[in-house]
Amino acid sequence: MHDPKEIADRFDAILKTYYKAWFRFHPEVAVEAGHDAYADRLTPYGDDEIGALITLNRELMFSLEELDSEVLDADRLVDYELAWSSAGLETELLLEADWRYRDPERYLPVNAVHQLLVRPVHKFEHAIARRLAGIPQHLRGARQKLGTQAELIPPLWLTSSLQTAREGARFIRTIPQHPRLQECDHAIPELTNLVSNAATALENFANCIESDLLPKAAGDFACGERHFVHILGFRHFLDINAEQLHSFGCELFDETASRLREACMVLNGNDDVASMTAKLADNHPASDHLLDSYREAMQQARGFLQQHDLVSMPEVESLAIIDTPVFLRHEIPFAAYHEPQPNDPRQQAWYYVTPCNEAEQLSQHDYASIAQTSVHEAWPGHHLQFVTANMNPIARSLPRLLNPSATLYEGWALYCEQMMLEQGFQPAPEQEFIMLKDRLWRAMRIMLDVELHCRGLSIEDAAQRMVDGLGMHYEQAMADLTWYTRAPGVPMGYATGWAIINCLRDRQKQQLGDDFSLKAFHDALLSGGSMGLALVIRRVFGDEAWADVESEVFSVEKAE
């Protein structure tokens, strides 16, 4: 029998060595995780580097398999499962669907510059100067790599990358005026030239996309059923197949559509969802009060949580509500959350709201939707969840930080919309209508996630489904679908996670009876970090609890 402490120390050493090397291949991810040793580098993509990354992943998997893992404690076993699974998934993708020939967006270094302006890093001046200086050569190599097999690139991805590159160039030219650079202790030599050269390189890259790559692009964005099922199993730890997931999505969509029509009948005297939506859309703030409206709604949600003691509140946090950065606005038509670094003592996060002036755009920010969005994105949704994870040493282990699952972070946020309404926050009848309308959208995401990646559904047909079934504008649907195609297994996470949490809560209520505490349930659920809900439930509530929940939600037989 091996000494458990010796095995635990060896396991910790394996992970420490692995991630120190892994960050060299993922410098932007490293900065987000609070590790800035490679903050002066751009993502490498040469054949030697990719070969070394594949070897590194395989060595990790081999080292873990050689370990006597049965003597590891429960939390290390979770990290073991996460590390092994993520290394396998990354290696599979590199070998079977190498992003370097398919995904121009992955080459764009705009976020690599932006993150240094908002994240605390050592040697900031050195890091940003080196990254800016590296952009021209980085993008020249990217153009060559993409040009070798341009027919593999999905046209949709090229169109999105074209816009990111052009907006990114405009953003880069503005950074000398950024407060972070204005406050530098030491001036950056040749900053004007570095900025100009980097922006020009992005513009040249955009021109290359338009003139050289777009005419040849004919690639398929679908990841395929085999890899999709691997995502379900090795990222979300769901023991189901694509068909079972799709059936669940269909049932949820039909059930939610029925409830939405009933809510509409109560509000409007008929089941005309489109008419009711238009009526609510008329009640929105003016464009110059949009940010203040979100700030007020988020403070109301925070105050409600404190008053009703529904979940433990973090002692330290900060959430800035600001305009969406210009280079992200085509990807974020409305709003989005940017979580804090795990080791940031202020736990500074950002909530982006995309500016709009046209009445049609403002109609998407009606007051009822703003209230719901504030619950989803901030209190008690994403912001509370990510800060809570960051404050827990176990929950912020590198395997958990680097392998978040939408079943947890999006499932929790969608559940919060329902839970806050149940508890009496914003109890107006139209609030339930908005909640159900958004849940219908998330239920459709499950079906589209499967059909886009496993059943050959075209982006145009998917967009029309969203127009017909959700009342979306076609352009809005296309913007939403673009990220579905780039992130298989994420769109399904919202409503899937919501259903899992509700099922678990019902089970705990039934088992504990009068001893059930909603706050204790929430705190326990959030104690494991942002990893797959299946792992959280197995670790915190037990294997039997997960077996019951998975069987109930997906109508699968429990293993004996």
Side-chain angles (χ1 to χ4, degrees), residues 329-373:
R329 290 178 188 177
H330 69 286
E331 298 178 3
I332 303 173
F334 307 119
Y337 175 75
H338 190 182
E339 69 271 17
Q341 276 182 317
N343 58 352
D344 179 5
R346 300 179 302 152
Q347 284 301 285
Q348 176 65 61
W350 296 266
Y351 185 66
Y352 298 144
V353 179
T354 300
C356 53
N357 295 306
E358 297 179 11
E360 185 175 308
Q361 293 174 318
L362 280 169
S363 68
Q364 303 293 331
H365 297 275
D366 62 87
Y367 285 109
S369 294
I370 288 175
Q372 177 151 297
T373 299

Side-chain angles (χ1 to χ4, degrees), residues 295-501:
R295 292 184 182 112
E296 182 179 350
M298 289 188 184
Q299 284 303 313
Q300 289 175 349
R302 193 181 195 282
F304 184 89
L305 280 178
Q306 290 177 310
Q307 180 182 354
H308 291 80
D309 199 26
L310 298 175
V311 62
S312 294
M313 301 289 282
E315 294 181 6
V316 178
E317 57 78 28
S318 179
L319 180 60
I321 301 169
I322 61 174
D323 288 338
T324 304
V326 292
F327 67 92
L328 291 174
R329 290 178 188 177
H330 69 286
E331 298 178 3
I332 303 173
F334 307 119
Y337 175 75
H338 190 182
E339 69 271 17
Q341 276 182 317
N343 58 352
D344 179 5
R346 300 179 302 152
Q347 284 301 285
Q348 176 65 61
W350 296 266
Y351 185 66
Y352 298 144
V353 179
T354 300
C356 53
N357 295 306
E358 297 179 11
E360 185 175 308
Q361 293 174 318
L362 280 169
S363 68
Q364 303 293 331
H365 297 275
D366 62 87
Y367 285 109
S369 294
I370 288 175
Q372 177 151 297
T373 299
S374 299
V375 167
H376 184 107
E377 303 288 352
W379 301 103
H382 290 321
H383 185 56
L384 183 141
Q385 185 266 310
F386 278 108
V387 173
T388 299
N390 288 346
M391 294 293 96
N392 181 353
I394 291 175
R396 67 168 183 258
S397 70
L398 284 177
R400 301 189 196 201
L401 283 174
L402 299 173
N403 298 288
S405 165
T407 59
L408 188 296
Y409 62 82
E410 294 295 358
W412 164 258
L414 192 62
Y415 161 79
C416 287
E417 296 176 14
Q418 164 202 316
M419 183 272 294
M420 289 285 277
L421 191 60
E422 290 171 342
Q423 297 302 312
F425 181 67
Q426 301 286 0
E430 61 265 23
Q431 211 62 50
E432 182 182 14
F433 176 85
I434 290 293
M435 179 192 71
L436 290 169
K437 192 168 183 294
D438 282 357
R439 189 185 299 166
L440 190 72
W441 176 22
R442 276 41 177 259
M444 182 175 279
R445 278 181 174 173
I446 297 175
M447 298 184 287
L448 295 180
D449 204 3
V450 174
E451 292 175 39
L452 286 166
H453 290 287
C454 306
R455 298 187 177 183
L457 180 66
S458 73
I459 196 79
E460 294 79 11
D461 288 346
Q464 195 59 51
R465 286 260 296 279
M466 296 176 83
V467 171
D468 297 339
L470 303 175
M472 276 190 179
H473 297 292
Y474 188 83
E475 294 76 16
Q476 178 191 351
M478 287 294 288
D480 211 41
L481 287 163
T482 298
W483 76 258
Y484 297 9
T485 66
R486 293 174 51 81
V490 175
M492 71 91 197
Y494 295 68
T496 301
W498 164 84
I500 289 171
I501 293 172

Side-chain angles (χ1 to χ4, degrees), residues 55 61 67 92 121 131 180 220-221 239 261 263 282 284 307 384 412 448-449 457 509 528:
T55 299
M61 297 172 74
L67 204 64
E92 178 181 302
V121 296
R131 281 192 172 180
R180 185 75 182 273
D220 185 1
F221 55 74
D239 188 19
R261 289 191 294 271
D282 288 336
H284 60 75
Q307 180 182 354
L384 183 141
W412 164 258
L448 295 180
D449 204 3
L457 180 66
K509 280 183 175 180

Side-chain angles (χ1 to χ4, degrees), residues 43-54:
T43 300
Y45 55 78
D47 291 344
D48 289 343
E49 287 93 347
I50 297 302
L53 175 58
I54 291 171

Side-chain angles (χ1 to χ4, degrees), residues 227-245:
H227 186 68
F228 190 88
V229 171
H230 286 177
I231 289 172
L232 295 180
F234 296 119
R235 181 172 299 155
H236 304 305
F237 300 91
L238 301 173
D239 188 19
I240 58 173
N241 57 39
E243 181 60 37
Q244 290 168 316
L245 178 63

